[in-house]
Amino acid sequence: MDIEKVVNLAKRRGFIFPSSEIYGGLSGFYDYGPLGTILKRKITKSWYEFFVKPEEKIFEIETSQIMHKKVWEASGHLKDFIDPLTQCKKCHSNYRADDLIQEKTGLLVEGLKPEELTKIIHEKKINCPRCSGELSDVKIFNLMLATDIGPVSGDTAYLRPETAQGIFTNFKNIISSMRATLPFGVVQHGKSYRNEISPRQWIMRLREFNQIEIEMFFNPKKENDVPNFKEFAKTKIKILKQNGNPIDISAENAVKEKIIPNNFMAYFLAKEFLWYQQLGIPIEALRFRHMGKHETPHYSKGNFDLEIKFDFGWKEVVGNAYRTDFDLTTHQKYSGETFAMVDDDEKVVPHVVEPSFGMPRTVYAILLYAYREGTDRGWEWLQIPPKLAPISFGVFPLVNKDKIPEEAKKIYKTLKSNYEVLFDDSGSIGKRYARADETGVPFCITIDYDSLKKKTVTIRDRDSTKQILVKTKDLEKILQKLFSGELKFEKAGKLVK
Ligand code: GAP
């Protein structure tokens, strides 16, 4: 797959634009265009319906993106949120050393010490990919983005590198205001910022990106008492074990065999595996990787990354961490607050399992797997699942005369109250289908002379390009059923030959 084709289509059709493009762009920053913004909103809605709505006790919050320096001292980010940096001595280009080594040698070296990485660079004779210059010794680089606040310089605060900390610092406010009892979850969707050494691969590694995080708090003595676990216990997931062996195993058995630490973690892994399939990612392109100890974040007792197979290889899209009581305990220590809760007549500092979803990588995966070259139909198109397609329906008057546009506008307005609808009256019908296909519009409705005489319209199916004739009065009901998958296209009306 040539990802450039996806990137070009995404720009041309208003999904993703480079940020500050008229001034040459800014590395690590991208903007969502009109269709990208709707896609993001629909992904978030789908996520909310699948992960939040079914839970009894889960609260959504929205906290500041810039937070007190002490937050990051306590969380360990100022000390430990680091990546290894090497710089070209000739052209001064910067590289993340572990990525560069992996690219050049195929070795997985994430988490190795700077001296070990420097040694590999020398031994494998790795030079600057841009100018072949010699590379410097590897140094540690902190990824936190700092900013001065207020008129006095030196009053430093930090842009959050994860949305999670706003949840931990508000822990007491949440439990008292919501009268929360264990287990319960808190979710947050918003921007995170990381001063990445070398942003790259389109929207894969950015300096500003959206995360959706869930912190699920529970009593560690009841780590397997998950309210809705039964529903997903038998869901089969694929795990790449720490020893590199892949297994297909049910969520419940993965806990029984001590591969996954508890049912809370297993519950989320099962749901993620199902949800990404709903987004159009094939099951063969999904797996969880049990991260090795050296690559596990400083706050975690065990990480399972949901990885997706991209054009360039497997990459983490959701980080699943067993953060235990690490964050609440350190914030207790640094702030003097107490975060213990009473559960079963005992005081307990809750443990936390955290699924952390990355929005840009999710968007990348959706577009990658939706992209079709369309050699058969003569244009590229996107097979985005109907529920996520930014525009649900296209409405096209066949000609711009004889009251046909008025009839088309009537249908457009009716559909628009519940869906995103495109009205297109320019160019040939073929051109309009092509434009709609390129943006992934699942169904297009054409209004013609029969619409006035016989009160019928044609619906065209994006995936098969087939067309059916339906009664105008039944249109909305039929579209609803097509949209939800309740009705097969060929069965929904009279096939047009
Ligand atoms: N609170 C835990 C946490 O932030 P993470 O594994 O560092 O965990 C979670 O990040 C997800 O956020 C990743 O799986 C990825 O999808 C996304 N992410 C992280 N850094 C990113 C970056 N620089 N650009 C785009 N997405 C990123």
Side-chain angles (χ1 to χ4, degrees):
M1 156 63 62
D2 180 1
I3 188 65
E4 278 314 307
K5 290 183 180 168
V6 181
V7 175
N8 290 338
L9 180 67
K11 180 166 182 237
R12 191 155 42 82
R13 287 294 173 209
F15 286 88
I16 310 280
F17 304 138
S19 167
S20 316
E21 194 185 14
I22 57 168
Y23 296 106
L26 190 61
S27 175
F29 297 87
Y30 276 87
D31 299 334
Y32 288 93
L35 294 196
T37 303
I38 306 177
L39 176 63
K40 188 154 82 77
R41 189 162 72 228
K42 290 193 173 179
I43 296 169
T44 311
K45 182 165 180 270
S46 161
W47 177 87
Y48 188 83
E49 276 164 8
F50 197 66
F51 288 96
V52 177
K53 268 214 172 144
E55 304 298 331
E56 223 175 274
K57 283 184 284 175
I58 194 156
F59 311 108
E60 185 175 7
I61 61 169
E62 188 180 321
T63 70
S64 321
Q65 296 174 23
I66 296 174
M67 294 177 79
H68 202 290
K69 187 177 179 182
K70 282 256 166 68
V71 172
W72 310 111
E73 276 170 17
S75 69
H77 283 83
L78 282 185
K79 185 167 148 275
D80 293 322
F81 198 53
I82 48 179
D83 272 339
L85 165 73
T86 179
Q87 197 183 46
C88 172
K89 291 183 180 172
K90 203 162 120 198
C91 73
H92 306 294
S93 295
N94 293 313
Y95 300 99
R96 215 181 115 165
D98 49 355
D99 280 351
L100 186 62
I101 292 171
Q102 190 182 339
E103 247 168 55
K104 297 285 169 199
T105 66
L107 292 171
L108 274 176
V109 291
E110 195 180 337
L112 290 195
K113 294 199 179 97
E115 321 70 91
E116 294 169 312
L117 296 171
T118 303
K119 200 165 153 225
I120 297 173
I121 286 176
H122 289 316
E123 278 173 6
K124 302 279 178 194
K125 299 192 174 31
I126 300 172
N127 285 344
C128 172
R130 274 195 199 111
C131 73
S132 304
E134 194 189 335
L135 294 171
S136 72
D137 284 358
V138 176
K139 294 188 293 204
I140 286 308
F141 178 78
N142 191 287
L143 303 184
M144 297 291 290
L145 265 163
T147 183
D148 272 349
I149 46 172
V152 184
S153 75
D155 216 353
T156 304
Y158 291 87
L159 282 86
R160 64 185 183 196
E162 58 171 7
T163 60
Q165 291 304 323
I167 297 177
F168 297 128
T169 53
N170 275 298
F171 185 75
K172 223 172 159 176
N173 289 331
I174 295 165
I175 53 175
S176 64
S177 59
M178 304 314 291
R179 297 168 55 233
T181 51
L182 292 173
F184 70 94
V186 185
V187 306
Q188 167 148 233
H189 174 213
K191 292 275 181 158
S192 290
Y193 303 84
R194 298 182 185 184
N195 199 6
E196 295 285 354
I197 294 170
S198 50
R200 59 199 193 137
Q201 288 162 323
W202 193 33
I203 52 171
M204 187 55 57
R205 187 184 296 151
L206 300 171
R207 289 180 167 136
E208 175 184 328
F209 55 95
N210 277 74
Q211 283 187 318
I212 317 184
E213 300 197 298
I214 309 173
E215 305 302 321
M216 185 51 87
F217 296 97
F218 57 92
N219 183 341
K221 286 189 183 158
K222 300 188 208 167
E223 61 178 5
N224 292 324
D225 295 357
V226 182
N228 298 332
F229 189 63
K230 240 179 159 181
E231 214 184 311
F232 298 95
K234 304 248 178 290
T235 304
K236 279 250 168 108
I237 55 176
K238 184 180 279 303
I239 303 178
L240 190 67
K241 297 207 296 188
Q242 276 179 328
N243 63 12
N245 290 337
I247 47 159
D248 291 301
I249 191 165
S250 69
E252 64 182 356
N253 284 344
V255 178
K256 277 186 201 140
E257 293 185 22
K258 298 198 182 337
I259 298 164
I260 297 177
N262 54 52
N263 281 358
F264 278 99
M265 177 71 93
Y267 176 68
F268 285 115
L269 300 196
K271 289 192 81 167
E272 289 164 24
F273 211 64
L274 296 173
W275 187 63
Y276 274 94
Q277 288 175 62
Q278 288 178 20
L279 304 189
I281 316 303
I283 193 166
E284 321 78 71
L286 290 169
R287 73 179 186 197
F288 290 99
R289 192 165 68 81
H290 189 183
M291 289 174 85
K293 280 212 164 56
H294 58 286
E295 43 177 4
T296 303
H298 63 276
Y299 49 71
S300 174
K301 199 176 151 189
N303 256 59
F304 291 82
D305 284 354
L306 176 101
E307 294 187 330
I308 292 183
K309 194 168 189 206
F310 287 92
D311 48 298
F312 57 88
W314 293 90
K315 187 78 184 168
E316 172 196 349
V317 175
V318 187
N320 292 285
Y322 181 22
R323 292 181 87 128
T324 65
D325 59 353
F326 175 89
D327 299 271
L328 290 182
T329 306
T330 51
H331 283 303
Q332 281 190 146
K333 207 166 87 195
Y334 276 73
S335 67
E337 289 284 354
T338 162
F339 294 143
M341 294 178 75
V342 175
D343 190 57
D344 281 351
D345 300 325
E346 263 185 345
K347 275 198 163 181
V348 54
V349 177
H351 275 211
V352 154
V353 157
E354 174 201 71
S356 171
F357 298 73
M359 179 60 80
R361 293 181 191 181
T362 303
V363 170
Y364 189 134
I366 290 171
L367 292 177
L368 179 72
Y369 280 101
Y371 180 81
R372 304 284 176 269
E373 297 220 47
T375 35
D376 50 343
R377 62 180 77 179
W379 55 80
E380 300 162 297
W381 60 288
L382 291 175
Q383 195 170 17
I384 302 180
K387 276 197 182 145
L388 294 182
I391 295 177
S392 307
F393 308 122
V395 174
F396 306 157
L398 182 71
V399 288
N400 280 318
K401 56 181 184 179
D402 300 335
K403 300 244 160 47
I404 287 179
E406 286 83 348
E407 178 67 8
K409 266 277 151 75
K410 229 163 62 190
I411 291 174
Y412 166 74
K413 281 191 181 148
T414 313
L415 293 176
K416 210 169 177 332
S417 51
N418 289 318
Y419 300 93
E420 263 80 28
V421 192
L422 161 85
F423 185 87
D424 190 351
D425 58 2
S426 70
S428 68
I429 281 287
K431 283 223 170 85
R432 287 183 245 174
Y433 285 152
R435 280 198 293 265
D437 279 359
E438 279 196 327
T439 50
V441 181
F443 303 105
C444 292
I445 298 111
T446 302
I447 289 85
D448 56 18
Y449 287 100
D450 275 349
S451 308
L452 303 179
K453 274 190 271 164
K454 301 184 185 163
K455 302 284 173 215
T456 56
V457 293
T458 47
I459 309 177
R460 175 194 180 260
D461 174 40
R462 173 197 68 192
D463 296 354
S464 65
T465 73
K466 286 183 180 158
Q467 295 182 32
I468 51 168
L469 205 60
V470 302
K471 290 227 151 51
T472 312
K473 70 174 173 50
D474 299 333
L475 178 68
E476 202 175 346
K477 222 181 319 155
I478 290 172
L479 287 175
Q480 230 172 46
K481 288 188 178 166
L482 287 174
F483 203 67
S484 64
E486 223 178 297
L487 191 60
K488 285 245 170 314
F489 188 75
E490 283 85 350
K491 298 254 152 68
K494 193 170 156 230
L495 214 57
V496 179
K497 293 273 182 297

